[in-house]
């Protein structure tokens, strides 16, 4: 439910954020908006995609003479980055959002419109990094945004951040922390009479209580959520909550009440023509009947769900339905059919486009009839001993087949569970390594900044009059202290975490091009990550032209022509 709520309402939240005007005086300073516009146009200058080209023209046409112009600019920034996110261009969207955010973070004074835009972009960045699996980075953006929500006029944004943070903790199974943040969000939304957000908070709390097996509390929160929803505006969400309530009543053994809730949700989905919702309702009802010891009724609803899924070619619905059907057939003692359904579920999970290639077991009835058929007409009646012998053989075969199918089912379930654990472990390791790579880049940027500061101090030292001994000694002392901070550890740390995500990159590249220096290799790693020239320049505190020159020198060392794609070549190194 927590993930479903996030997926359903993320676009709504984005749309609301893009339209929120913020309270500002019309005479407010437009300097921040002007700087952001200039910087954004510069970033988009080399982007020739249709999305960026259209938005660039709109952004360029905004005059920035009034505060309404600033709001219009911020709306266009939000729409541009949301369109990029929808098109799968998350990296480009992140670059723009972080660049704009850095501009606002660097200012001592922000107007209300600037602050609201800062919060907007922080929420967007947090959600994007969470979608990419970088939980720590996403949560950091949410937490840092809370520091800008001290004013009461930003209470709605604060509640939104609390709710999002609660979802993150809930997905990580920190249910106590999740409950704490949902309640904080709820307190604000109730105080401000923001009804739909209060509905979301109650719905999320209900899910947390249900996951902790606090069914009574979950039911109370679920019922409270319905007091804050507009059924005409959000009918599908109302139907979803009805199904949730049905499941909770079923847990309490109140099956009659549960069926009323289930049927209410089902009828709502039917009125909307919502096929996934109808299938979901059928499966809820089926599982309720199964838990109540009514497998025949459970089977009828599950088969309805399967027929609807097949008729609308909905692979995701079919996988859920097949799994439910397998459980029902197992409860009925039809192990052969249960195994067959489970095999189909596994095959469909592997590839939704190859459902007809599911594994099938040999039909026991056909196997039995083959044993009883000799291919010739019988010469006479079988004796009693013959009947007994055939019966024993059939029973023995049935027993062996039953044991075989049960063992195969256990093996299949074991393999499936092991595969899930392996995938979860690999995904978790990948997420951690990606987050560590990002953090090592930040550390590398800090080190480059320290080195740049040291160099600047040395230049200042050369320009100071030799007679100003005290001033020169002070600068030497500062330079020495900064130099102690500037070690090679950041480079080594970046290399370590980079190679966890991209194994053997440095090794293979060094074997192919042994004349590359350490800085050349680091530049290759930056380019392999898809970093643009401006990003590399910002990270290393160098001029854009200097980075471009370094790229050209690298291209020559790699033996590439001007028309060759440098980034594509580097990515092919370990492909």
């Amino acid at each position: 439910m927590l993930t479903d709520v996030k997926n359903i309402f993320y676009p709504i939240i984005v749309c609301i954020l893009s339209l929120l005007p913020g309270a500002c005086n019309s005479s407010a300073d437009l300097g921040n908006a002007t700087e952001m516009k200039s910087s954004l146009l510069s970033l988009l200058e080399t982007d020739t995609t249709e999305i960026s080209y259209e938005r660039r023209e709109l952004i360029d046409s905004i005059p920035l003479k009034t505060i309404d112009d600033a709001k219009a600019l911020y709306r266009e920034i939000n729409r541009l980055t949301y369109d990029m996110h929808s098109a799968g261009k998350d990296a480009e969207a992140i670059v723009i959002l972080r660049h704009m955010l850095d501009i606002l973070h660097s200012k001592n004074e922000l107007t209300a419109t600037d602050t609201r835009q800062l919060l907007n972009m922080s929420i967007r960045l947090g959600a994007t990094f969470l979608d990419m699996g970088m939980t720590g980075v996403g949560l950091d953006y949410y937490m840092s945004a809370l520091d800008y929500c001290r004013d009461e006029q930003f209470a709605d944004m604060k509640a939104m951040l609390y709710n999002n943070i609660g979802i993150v903790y809930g997905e990580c199974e920190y249910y106590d922390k999740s409950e704490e943040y949902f309640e904080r969000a709820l307190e604000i939304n109730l105080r401000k009479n923001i009804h739909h957000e209060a509905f979301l908070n109650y719905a999320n709390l209900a899910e947390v209580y249900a996951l902790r097996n606090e069914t009574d509390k979950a039911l109370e929160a679920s019922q409270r959520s319905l007091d804050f929803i507009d059924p005409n505006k959000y009918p599908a969400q109302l139907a979803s909550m009805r199904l949730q309530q049905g499941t909770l009543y079923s847990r309490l053994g109140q099956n009659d009440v549960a069926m009323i809730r289930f049927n209410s949700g089902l009828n709502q989905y039917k009125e909307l023509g919502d096929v996934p919702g109808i299938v979901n309702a059928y499966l809820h009802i089926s599982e309720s009947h199964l838990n109540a010891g009514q497998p025949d009724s459970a089977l009828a609803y599950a088969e309805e769900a399967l027929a609807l899924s097949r008729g609308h070619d909905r692979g995701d619905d079919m996988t859920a339905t097949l799994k439910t059907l397998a459980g029902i057939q197992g409860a009925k003692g039809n192990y052969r059919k249960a195994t067959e359904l489970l095999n189909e579920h596994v095959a469909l999970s592997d590839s939704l486009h190859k459902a007809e290639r599911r594994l099938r077991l040999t039909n026991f009835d056909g196997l039995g009839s083959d044993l009883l058929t000799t291919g010739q007409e019988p010469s006479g009646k079988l004796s009693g001993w013959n009947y007994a012998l055939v019966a024993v053989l059939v029973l023995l075969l049935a027993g062996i087949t039953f044991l075989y199918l049960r063992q195969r089912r256990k093996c299949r379930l074991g393999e499936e569970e092991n595969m899930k654990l392996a995938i979860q472990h690999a995904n978790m390791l990948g997420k951690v390594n990606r987050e560590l790579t990002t953090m090592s880049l930040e550390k590398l940027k800090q080190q480059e900044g320290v080195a740049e500061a040291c160099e600047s101090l040395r230049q200042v030292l050369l320009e100071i009059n030799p007679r100003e001994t005290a001033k020169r000694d002070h600068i030497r002392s500062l330079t020495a202290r900064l130099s102690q901070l500037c070690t090679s550890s950041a480079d080594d740390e970046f290399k370590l975490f980079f190679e966890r995500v991209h194994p053997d990159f440095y090794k293979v590249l060094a074997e192919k091009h042994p004349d590359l220096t350490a800085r050349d290799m680091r530049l290759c790693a930056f380019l392999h990550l898809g970093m643009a020239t401006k990003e590399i320049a910002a990270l290393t505190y160098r001029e854009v032209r200097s980075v471009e020159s370094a790229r050209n020198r690298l291209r020559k060392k790699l033996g590439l022509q001007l028309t060759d794609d440098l980034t594509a070549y580097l990515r092919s190194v370990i492909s």
Side-chain angles (χ1 to χ4, degrees):
M1 179 69 182
L2 293 173
T3 305
D4 291 342
V5 169
K6 180 181 72 173
N7 292 338
I8 291 171
F9 298 110
Y10 177 75
I12 297 174
I13 291 171
V14 168
C15 183
I16 292 172
L17 287 172
S18 68
L19 296 176
L20 285 172
C24 292
N25 191 297
S26 60
S27 61
D29 182 18
L30 296 173
N32 296 338
T34 303
E35 184 177 346
M36 291 175 71
K37 175 183 175 181
S38 176
S39 181
L40 180 58
L41 291 175
S42 178
L43 286 173
L44 296 176
E45 196 169 29
T46 57
D47 192 339
T48 58
T49 60
E50 185 177 350
I51 294 173
S52 300
Y53 182 77
E54 291 178 354
R55 291 292 177 198
R56 189 180 189 282
E57 287 190 331
L58 283 170
I59 291 167
D60 197 20
S61 67
I62 298 173
L64 289 182
K65 294 181 179 179
T66 67
I67 202 64
D68 288 335
D69 293 335
K71 295 174 187 176
L73 171 68
Y74 291 155
R75 281 196 295 269
E76 290 304 322
I77 293 174
N78 297 336
R79 287 168 180 162
L80 168 64
T81 52
Y82 181 66
D83 288 346
M84 285 180 167
H85 171 77
S86 300
K89 297 166 68 67
D90 283 330
E92 292 86 342
I94 288 172
V95 169
I96 290 174
L97 288 169
R98 290 187 65 167
H99 200 80
M100 299 296 101
L101 203 58
D102 287 343
I103 291 173
L104 293 179
H105 277 311
S106 67
K107 306 303 178 183
N108 294 325
E109 294 185 6
L110 296 175
T111 66
T113 296
D114 291 338
T115 302
R116 191 166 287 274
Q117 178 63 5
L118 182 148
L119 294 171
N120 185 350
M121 293 190 296
S122 297
I123 292 172
R124 182 77 57 78
L125 277 166
T128 302
F129 277 112
L130 287 167
D131 286 344
M132 294 168 64
M134 302 176 71
T135 305
V137 179
L139 192 58
D140 282 344
Y141 275 107
Y142 286 160
M143 290 297 191
S144 64
L146 286 174
D147 292 337
Y148 291 86
C149 294
R150 298 187 185 93
D151 197 298
E152 183 64 16
Q153 65 178 308
F154 304 120
D156 57 332
M157 305 289 278
K158 191 173 188 177
M160 188 184 299
L161 284 163
Y162 281 151
N163 187 74
N164 288 4
I165 293 169
I167 290 173
V168 175
Y169 278 119
E171 289 176 343
C172 296
E173 299 183 5
Y174 292 105
Y175 299 130
D176 290 343
K177 294 289 289 183
S178 180
E179 178 186 7
E180 176 189 339
Y181 278 97
F182 287 145
E183 286 181 342
R184 290 184 186 181
L186 180 62
E187 185 275 326
I188 294 173
N189 288 323
L190 290 178
R191 175 165 50 84
K192 303 288 287 186
N193 289 320
I194 307 175
H195 284 191
H196 190 64
E197 281 66 26
F199 158 74
L200 293 179
N201 302 150
Y202 273 122
N204 287 336
L205 280 169
E207 183 65 16
V208 168
Y209 296 145
L211 290 169
R212 292 196 311 209
N213 293 318
E214 298 174 350
T215 306
D216 288 329
K217 289 181 68 175
L219 196 56
E220 180 183 355
S222 179
Q223 188 60 46
R224 286 285 289 147
S225 74
L226 298 182
D227 296 336
F228 295 92
I229 189 172
D230 183 345
N232 297 318
K233 194 173 182 180
Y234 302 103
Q237 294 162 30
L238 175 61
S240 176
M241 292 305 299
R242 291 300 189 194
L243 296 184
Q244 184 192 59
Q245 288 185 342
T247 300
L248 294 172
Y249 277 117
S250 181
R251 279 191 191 181
L252 295 172
Q254 300 181 33
N255 297 321
D256 292 342
V257 181
M259 288 307 301
I260 292 173
R261 295 293 190 273
F262 285 141
N263 286 322
S264 176
L266 175 61
N267 292 334
Q268 184 73 64
Y269 280 129
K270 285 182 176 180
E271 289 179 11
L272 296 171
D274 187 334
V275 174
I278 296 171
V279 171
N280 190 29
Y282 280 145
L283 293 181
H284 272 79
I285 296 172
S286 175
E287 290 170 4
S288 178
H289 280 301
L290 185 62
N291 293 334
Q294 302 167 347
D296 291 334
S297 298
L299 181 62
Y301 279 101
E303 287 179 339
E304 285 283 344
L306 183 62
L308 192 58
S309 299
R310 290 191 191 280
H312 288 77
D313 193 24
R314 298 194 59 85
D316 290 339
D317 292 340
M318 285 177 63
T319 55
T321 305
L322 288 169
K323 189 173 182 180
T324 300
L325 277 168
I328 295 170
Q329 292 291 359
K332 288 171 64 67
N334 299 330
Y335 299 110
R336 179 183 64 81
K337 186 63 176 176
T339 306
E340 182 179 321
L341 288 166
L342 188 61
N343 286 337
E344 185 175 359
H345 163 72
V346 172
L348 188 59
S349 297
D350 291 340
S351 175
L352 293 177
H353 302 292
K354 297 179 181 180
E356 295 304 319
R357 295 176 60 187
R358 64 187 173 89
L359 300 176
R360 297 180 182 273
L361 296 174
T362 305
N363 187 285
F364 170 72
D365 293 334
L367 204 60
S369 62
D370 288 341
L371 286 170
L372 295 174
T373 304
T374 62
Q376 298 178 353
E377 291 292 325
S379 57
K381 295 182 178 179
L382 292 173
S383 67
W385 283 106
N386 287 334
Y387 278 120
L389 181 59
V390 170
V392 169
L393 287 173
V394 171
L395 289 173
L396 181 62
L397 178 61
I400 292 172
T401 303
F402 168 75
L403 292 174
Y404 167 75
L405 293 176
R406 186 172 68 176
Q407 186 62 32
R408 180 166 178 173
R409 180 172 179 268
K410 287 182 179 179
C411 291
R412 173 70 69 181
L413 291 172
E415 290 172 2
E416 201 175 358
E417 187 63 27
N418 290 336
M419 181 63 71
K420 287 179 181 178
L421 290 174
I423 291 172
Q424 289 174 0
H425 178 73
N427 288 339
M428 184 180 299
L429 188 61
K431 290 177 185 177
V432 170
N433 284 331
R434 284 194 296 273
E435 290 182 20
L436 289 173
T437 302
T438 301
M439 287 188 286
S440 66
L441 277 173
E442 294 293 337
K443 186 174 180 180
L444 190 62
K445 183 177 181 180
Q446 292 175 4
Q447 176 176 290
E448 292 289 339
V450 171
E452 179 70 16
C454 288
E455 184 60 31
S456 298
L457 285 172
R458 293 188 186 99
Q459 291 296 323
V460 171
L461 193 61
L462 294 174
E463 298 171 2
I464 292 178
N465 191 315
R467 296 179 180 178
E468 298 183 68
T469 308
K471 192 176 293 185
R472 291 172 63 86
D473 289 345
H474 181 60
I475 292 176
R476 285 196 187 97
S477 175
L478 285 175
T479 305
R481 288 164 62 187
L482 287 173
S483 296
Q484 291 175 357
L485 299 175
C486 191
T487 66
S488 61
S489 62
D491 274 321
D492 295 338
E493 187 176 294
F494 168 73
K495 180 180 177 181
L496 172 66
F497 293 130
F498 176 85
E499 287 218 306
R500 286 187 182 179
V501 183
H502 309 283
D504 298 328
F505 177 82
Y506 280 84
K507 179 182 176 182
V508 174
L509 193 61
E511 289 174 353
K512 289 189 174 183
H513 305 283
D515 58 332
L516 294 179
T517 66
R519 281 194 170 273
D520 291 335
M521 299 284 278
R522 191 179 71 173
L523 178 58
C524 290
F526 291 159
L527 295 171
H528 187 276
L529 288 173
M531 295 177 66
T533 301
K534 291 181 180 178
E535 291 180 89
I536 297 172
L539 176 66
T540 57
Y541 291 89
R542 298 164 67 185
E543 295 292 334
V544 172
R545 289 183 180 178
S546 175
V547 177
E548 289 174 346
S549 298
R551 286 176 62 121
N552 291 333
R553 289 194 298 273
L554 178 62
R555 188 186 295 275
K556 290 179 181 178
K557 288 185 179 182
L558 298 177
L560 301 179
Q561 303 297 321
L562 290 174
T563 55
D564 294 332
D565 189 328
L566 178 57
T567 302
Y569 172 76
L570 291 171
R571 288 181 175 173
S572 70
V573 167
I574 58 172
S575 60

